[in-house]
């Protein structure tokens, strides 16, 4: 999905891309999500969705304090928006929203989510200053518990169910130590950092895991 809202797809491993929907939402797309043949698009203050083959978008307003949102939709259809203001949740298709994680400091951006096989949800944040955090929920996002994971910008799951997080950081002796990756063997409850660097500023923005892990 482009910033202007056009939808492209590929059927040949990205050798070619074709525009499958030139019907654009009346908004500047900050983020989108595809789930169960439905496309969701968001920008500051506005939320839209459409079935993949529909000609028209449906719109609803969001709370005004959600700026530059990232969107995630669970298999059951619960919608989450991450932003500098924390995490918002909708269980009714975006008609109403609840502020389930409130961050009045405006220094952490919640921009990564993943749903596990048992229904648990992880949410990761990256900080403007200070430390980020990884949160975990087992009740469809009503309540969240902070794990020992620090900062995350993306998650992937390997074939054994282990979760890998990208863009972690920690401090050692007052000086920043950067850990581009961390792994959890217990469904996101605890984390172990891997590949530590003390001389660069690595930022993992996205990850893909192949069939060979």
């Amino acid at each position: 999905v482009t910033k202007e809202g056009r939808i492209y797809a590929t059927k040949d491993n990205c050798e070619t891309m074709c525009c499958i929907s030139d019907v654009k939402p009346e908004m500047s797309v900050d983020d989108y999500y595809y789930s169960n043949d439905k496309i969701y698009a968001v920008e500051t203050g506005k939320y839209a969705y459409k079935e993949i083959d529909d000609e028209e978008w449906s719109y609803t307003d969001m709370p005004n304090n959600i700026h530059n949102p990232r969107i995630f939709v669970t298999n059951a259809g619960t919608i989450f928006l991450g932003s500098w203001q924390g995490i918002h949740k909708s269980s009714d298709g975006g008609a109403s929203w609840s502020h389930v994680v409130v961050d009045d400091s405006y220094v952490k951006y919640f921009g990564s989510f993943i749903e596990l096989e048992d229904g648990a949800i992880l949410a990761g944040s990256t900080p403007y200053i200070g430390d980020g955090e990884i949160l975990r929920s087992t009740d469809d996002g009503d309540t969240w518990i902070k794990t020992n994971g620090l900062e995350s910008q993306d998650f992937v799951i390997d074939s054994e169910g282990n979760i890998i997080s990208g863009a972690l950081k920690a401090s050692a002796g007052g000086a920043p130590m950067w850990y581009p990756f961390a792994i959890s063997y217990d469904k996101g409850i605890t984390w172990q950092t891997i590949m530590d660097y003390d001389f660069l500023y690595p930022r993992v923005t996205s990850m893909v895991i192949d069939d060979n892990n």
Side-chain angles (χ1 to χ4, degrees):
V1 177
T2 68
K3 185 72 172 177
E4 296 76 21
R6 289 186 175 89
I7 303 166
Y8 291 82
T10 179
K11 296 182 179 180
D12 53 13
N13 273 340
C14 294
E15 292 291 333
T16 60
M17 298 288 289
C18 61
C19 182
I20 62 174
S21 176
D22 199 34
V23 180
K24 303 179 290 295
E26 299 171 358
M27 54 196 287
S28 177
V29 178
D30 287 326
D31 193 27
Y32 76 96
Y33 197 83
Y34 175 76
S35 176
N36 296 321
D37 289 330
K38 184 178 289 187
I39 295 178
Y40 305 81
V42 288
E43 70 166 351
T44 299
K46 188 178 290 185
Y47 158 79
Y49 62 91
K50 69 186 289 290
E51 299 289 340
I52 188 68
D53 295 324
D54 286 352
E55 289 297 322
E56 301 295 333
W57 290 81
S58 299
Y59 298 90
T60 184
D61 291 331
M62 299 188 305
N64 290 329
N65 62 335
I66 306 179
H67 299 287
N68 303 117
R70 296 294 300 272
I71 187 169
F72 176 77
V73 185
T74 67
N75 292 328
T78 303
I79 305 168
F80 293 97
L81 297 177
S83 68
W84 289 105
Q85 291 74 39
I87 301 173
H88 287 74
K89 169 189 172 181
S90 177
S91 300
D92 54 12
S96 62
W97 299 89
S98 55
H99 202 170
V100 292
V101 175
V102 180
D103 185 5
D104 294 328
S105 65
Y106 291 82
V107 297
K108 290 191 293 289
Y109 182 78
F110 287 88
S112 58
F113 296 87
I114 195 168
E115 182 180 13
L116 309 185
E117 285 188 356
D118 61 0
I121 304 166
L122 301 180
S125 67
T126 54
Y128 176 69
I129 57 174
D131 293 325
E133 60 187 359
I134 297 176
L135 305 182
R136 188 175 190 270
S137 175
T138 57
D139 56 7
D140 199 33
D142 286 334
T143 59
W144 299 81
I145 297 174
K146 183 177 180 179
T147 72
N148 73 324
L150 294 175
E151 177 182 336
S152 179
Q153 198 152 313
D154 196 17
F155 298 103
V156 293
I157 301 178
D158 68 16
S159 62
E160 298 179 355
N162 304 315
I163 309 164
I164 301 168
S165 171
L168 276 286
K169 84 170 184 178
S171 295
M177 275 299 264
W178 294 94
Y179 300 86
F181 301 100
I183 189 167
S184 175
Y185 300 101
D186 55 10
K187 300 181 179 180
I189 298 173
T190 61
W191 297 85
Q192 299 177 25
T193 55
I194 52 179
M195 290 184 64
D196 59 298
Y197 290 82
D198 60 355
F199 55 91
L200 292 174
Y201 187 76
R203 306 292 291 178
V204 179
T205 57
S206 60
M207 298 181 291
V208 174
I209 191 163
D210 66 14
D211 294 337
N212 297 317
N213 284 328

